[in-house]
Amino acid sequence: MTEPYTIIIGLEVHVQLSTASKLFCGCSTAFGSPANTQTCPVCIGMPGSLPVMNREAMALALKTAVALNCEIPRRTKWDRKQYYYPDLPKGYQISQFDLPLSEKGYLTISDSRGRFEPKPIRIIRAHLEEDAGKSMHDEVAGKGDSRIDLNRTGTPLLEVVSEPDLRSPVEARAYLDELKLLLNYLDVSDCNMQEGSLRVDANINLHIDTPEGPVATPIVEVKNMNSFRAVERALDFEAQRQYEVWQETGTIMGAPGGHKTTRGWDETAQVTVPQRTKEESSDYRYFPDPDLVPVTTTEEQVEAIRAGLGELPAALRERLQKTYNVTPYDADVLVNQGRELVDYFTELADRCGDGKMAANWVEQDVLRWLNDRQIGIGEFSVSADALAGLLEKIKGGDLTTSRGRDVLTAMLDSGQSVDAAMRKLGIQSVDQNELETLCGELLAANPKVVEDVKEGRLKAVGALIGQAKSRNPNVNPGQVRELCLKLIERM
Amino acid sequence: MAISREEVKKVSLLARLQLSDAELETMTAQLGDILGYVELLSELDTDKVEPMAHALDVSNVFRDDKVRASLDRGEALANAPKHDDECYRVPAVLGDG
Ligand SMILES: [Zn+2]
């Protein structure tokens, strides 16, 4: 990077936790139901109704917080965050203010393409809160009404807030990818951005070196980004925009006109545009929710959660590199596919005893098959054991790699074993005597080749391989070459 | 502890309450009286009293993650000042919530 500034980015991610029911009532959290069919007196704020905490939501939140290396305070509580908005029927959101369920964690990001050095991104806090509803502007009616659907109101969200430790849009993207992968491994959220189960807001500004010393541009919160790609682009755009505005106006953070503002990402125009902001945070008038009692967590509970996390992506990448001798890039590709695929890979690598070969086959052949059909490894009909059998035949010289691919395709198409698929394709392993007879015949029929080889032009032997294959398609080219050279040497 | 007229005005705006000048006057006096009364507590020595986040000495009240029947849509929408067959209707919301 040669820009005359440093980009400072912090991310706030809202993750919908995979519970069946809402955070404080029994309404379903299912996505896509008809509007306003999943509400009750609690989640639409009828007077006299009382919220009761969902045990599973708390468990999923704690699990995620522990995996994010957060400290878990012994005691946490619920606060009301007051603001008026039509999609917030109670007039306040139940959230956590001064005693969040977790704080001071970190998530380490790295890049297998080496665009930045691995580094921990500090997490300020991760806390639970309820989601608001959805407002839709009714453009068809043209009457200027907005329509409100409260199905989503009260859905459990975990808000994960990072320190402004990210130094480029690429790092921001890596943080989001790693966070999403972690959430997948933990099985706490489906992370579907289209359905709103993962939402990202970004805070960004620039630190610019000037002859008069370093200055900072006003912080901008960027919203409305519907994919990780959009986040990366919006931040790229915003950094450039802030630099240009600073060059033009010289406005810096804290100066008149230098307060924090909010901008929305316009996906069509690929620009950020100013947004009207809600009240300042000091006006939220948080106070403890008298309807909900505090939650306490013991050290033993936290340890039990930690013990039950399983192997997480970072540790898994390291193990694949160490145990199976795969490159950081390959480890990344495999781990990013999820736990199930990694299990398939390790079983394959263990059985065939060659991590690098197993990685190649999984990444090229298995993944291509899965991607073409939009299916998961669970639906891949050739077991790791069966594929290992095929790889052993290739290693043993019974099959070339390209013939091996044909066999795998036949196995997938017909559900047959390696041997049956090979028989079906007319492939038999050629035994040594057969091969020697064949090579002997070829040498007798091609004295010119023999002569060339004897004079040191070893390449000449290539002509024999084609002939050998046309006589018997099952021969292994490498073996033909080796055997012919050996026989010529003896002549 | 007195509260200023400006503070009451700000709080009423945040609470979406439209107060006339006369009401503002009354509210400023009444809120001032209430705050003054609560202020009496500061005469107590609370050095040895643990701060508490909740009036009840109860914690960890949970429910199981079970879906229960929701309200019928018609019933849920019934009390809204304005609604159609599916949604609540409100004056246009600009920007994004
Ligand atoms: Zn409900």
Side-chain angles (χ1 to χ4, degrees):
Chain A
M1 292 291 171
T2 53
E3 280 91 356
Y5 52 75
T6 308
I7 306 176
I8 313 291
I9 300 167
L11 296 177
E12 280 178 28
V13 179
H14 285 89
V15 181
Q16 182 182 329
L17 299 175
S18 308
T19 55
S21 67
K22 293 185 180 180
L23 189 50
F24 299 114
C25 65
C27 291
S28 167
T29 56
F31 178 82
S33 304
N36 294 303
T37 55
Q38 287 167 189
T39 69
C40 73
V42 173
C43 58
I44 58 178
M46 294 289 181
S49 61
L50 282 174
V52 186
M53 177 74 200
N54 182 333
R55 189 192 315 275
E56 177 70 1
M58 188 70 199
L60 296 177
L62 280 175
K63 188 176 173 187
T64 310
V66 171
L68 287 170
N69 308 293
C70 286
E71 291 172 15
I72 311 296
R74 294 291 77 92
R75 186 183 166 84
T76 185
K77 71 170 172 73
W78 309 101
D79 301 282
R80 292 184 177 181
K81 179 182 180 179
Q82 342 275 327
Y83 64 91
Y84 278 98
Y85 215 71
D87 62 14
L88 190 72
K90 293 197 296 293
Y92 61 86
Q93 175 191 30
I94 303 176
S95 180
Q96 301 200 281
F97 183 52
D98 57 335
L99 295 176
L101 67 90
S102 71
E103 54 192 352
K104 295 184 200 136
Y106 64 88
L107 177 66
T108 299
I109 59 168
S110 58
D111 183 44
S112 61
R113 286 192 268 165
R115 288 170 297 175
F116 58 86
E117 287 300 305
K119 65 175 191 179
I121 303 302
R122 289 170 300 159
I123 309 278
I124 299 175
R125 59 192 276 158
H127 72 250
L128 260 173
E129 61 185 31
E130 57 174 352
D131 203 352
K134 197 169 93 181
S135 52
M136 302 156 280
H137 193 61
D138 189 357
E139 287 174 19
V140 185
K143 289 189 201 127
D145 272 0
S146 283
R147 306 175 76 222
I148 309 290
D149 172 9
L150 296 181
N151 279 351
R152 214 174 62 186
T153 308
T155 298
L157 297 179
L158 186 72
E159 178 173 341
V160 182
V161 187
S162 87
E163 291 277 4
D165 285 349
L166 299 156
R167 290 291 170 270
S168 67
V170 168
E171 288 186 12
R173 171 70 186 266
Y175 171 86
L176 292 171
D177 283 336
E178 189 67 11
L179 180 60
K180 184 179 172 186
L181 188 66
L182 182 71
L183 296 166
N184 275 328
Y185 271 74
L186 294 172
D187 198 18
V188 295
S189 171
D190 67 16
C191 297
N192 187 328
M193 278 187 100
Q194 264 61 50
E195 295 180 3
S197 37
L198 194 149
R199 282 168 254 163
V200 183
D201 297 332
N203 284 294
I204 173 172
N205 76 337
L206 310 177
H207 287 181
I208 307 169
D209 274 324
T210 73
E212 292 78 39
V215 298
T217 57
I219 296 174
V220 170
E221 180 169 2
V222 186
K223 291 172 169 284
N224 282 355
M225 298 163 291
N226 292 323
S227 66
F228 289 175
R229 236 169 108 87
V231 173
E232 204 176 340
R233 286 193 186 157
L235 292 173
D236 270 327
F237 174 87
E238 187 55 27
Q240 189 59 32
R241 189 195 68 81
Q242 288 187 17
Y243 188 59
E244 283 165 14
V245 169
W246 175 78
Q247 282 180 311
E248 241 169 72
T249 67
T251 304
I252 57 169
M253 185 159 70
H259 58 280
K260 181 176 165 179
T261 53
T262 303
R263 299 177 72 88
W265 174 242
D266 182 334
E267 182 68 39
T268 318
Q270 299 277 301
V271 296
T272 63
V273 291
Q275 273 192 338
R276 221 175 45 153
T277 44
K278 282 183 214 158
E279 293 145 25
E280 292 299 305
S281 70
S282 56
D283 283 343
Y284 285 135
R285 295 151 294 144
Y286 285 96
F287 69 81
D289 192 320
D291 290 344
L292 288 157
V293 298
V295 175
T296 59
T297 311
T298 65
E299 185 62 39
E300 291 71 39
Q301 282 173 307
V302 174
E303 281 319 309
I305 293 167
R306 205 186 309 281
L309 288 179
E311 201 174 17
L312 297 177
L316 200 48
R317 278 190 203 102
E318 202 165 309
R319 181 161 73 89
L320 294 191
Q321 290 177 51
K322 278 197 181 135
T323 312
Y324 297 101
N325 205 23
V326 301
T327 64
Y329 178 83
D330 286 337
D332 210 36
V333 171
L334 293 167
V335 171
N336 287 351
Q337 296 296 324
R339 182 78 228 192
E340 255 191 298
L341 188 105
V342 172
D343 289 342
Y344 186 93
F345 163 77
T346 53
E347 193 185 340
L348 177 64
D350 286 337
R351 305 261 168 133
C352 82
D354 186 337
K356 188 69 211 163
M357 186 182 197
N360 284 341
W361 277 78
V362 169
E363 284 173 43
Q364 287 168 31
D365 300 275
V366 178
L367 281 184
R368 189 190 306 133
W369 179 273
L370 300 180
N371 291 339
D372 285 351
R373 285 157 189 78
Q374 291 292 304
I375 57 173
I377 188 72
E379 295 162 85
F380 192 70
S381 60
V382 173
S383 70
D385 198 30
L387 183 53
L390 175 61
L391 300 198
E392 268 159 23
K393 288 204 189 303
I394 294 169
K395 279 172 64 169
D398 294 340
L399 275 171
T400 63
T401 299
S402 77
R403 264 328 234 168
R405 293 218 159 90
D406 297 340
V407 174
L408 177 59
T409 307
M411 290 163 75
L412 287 162
D413 286 339
S414 65
Q416 287 171 319
S417 68
V418 179
D419 291 326
M422 283 174 69
R423 272 197 301 278
K424 193 178 165 210
L425 290 175
I427 303 172
Q428 277 120 29
S429 43
V430 184
D431 78 24
Q432 199 62 18
N433 288 336
E434 216 177 320
L435 194 65
E436 279 192 31
T437 313
L438 177 68
C439 290
E441 285 169 12
L442 287 174
L443 293 178
N446 294 277
K448 176 82 176 80
V449 172
V450 175
E451 195 177 311
D452 283 352
V453 172
K454 286 201 159 192
E455 285 165 20
R457 288 185 294 278
L458 298 187
K459 268 190 188 164
V461 83
L464 301 182
I465 293 170
Q467 293 185 34
K469 283 190 87 168
S470 62
R471 287 206 195 184
N472 184 344
N474 298 319
V475 296
N476 178 312
Q479 286 181 336
V480 171
R481 187 189 143 85
E482 206 176 310
L483 190 58
C484 285
L485 291 176
K486 210 195 276 172
L487 292 174
I488 292 170
E489 213 169 274
R490 286 193 213 139
M491 285 166 90
Chain B
M1 190 180 101
I3 186 167
S4 73
R5 195 187 153 95
E6 279 315 300
E7 284 172 304
V8 176
K9 209 170 169 178
K10 185 181 173 191
V11 173
S12 67
L13 179 77
L14 291 173
R16 302 294 185 269
L17 293 171
Q18 200 166 27
L19 302 181
S20 67
D21 280 356
E23 284 169 326
L24 204 55
E25 212 58 54
T26 314
M27 288 298 163
T28 306
Q30 289 184 351
L31 279 172
D33 286 348
I34 294 168
L35 289 171
Y37 180 64
V38 175
E39 187 69 12
L40 284 175
L41 288 173
S42 67
E43 289 170 16
L44 296 172
D45 178 7
T46 54
D47 277 1
K48 296 200 176 70
V49 182
E50 279 279 304
M52 56 185 208
H54 203 275
L56 296 177
D57 193 17
V58 177
S59 52
N60 302 332
V61 177
F62 291 110
R63 43 170 271 272
D64 288 335
D65 183 24
K66 294 253 167 55
V67 174
R68 298 214 314 223
S70 291
L71 278 179
D72 172 75
R73 178 158 65 189
E75 221 180 321
L77 296 173
N79 291 327
K82 201 172 175 190
H83 62 85
D84 54 34
D85 289 347
E86 299 168 333
C87 288
Y88 303 89
R89 298 192 79 104
V90 300
V93 179
L94 300 172
D96 191 65

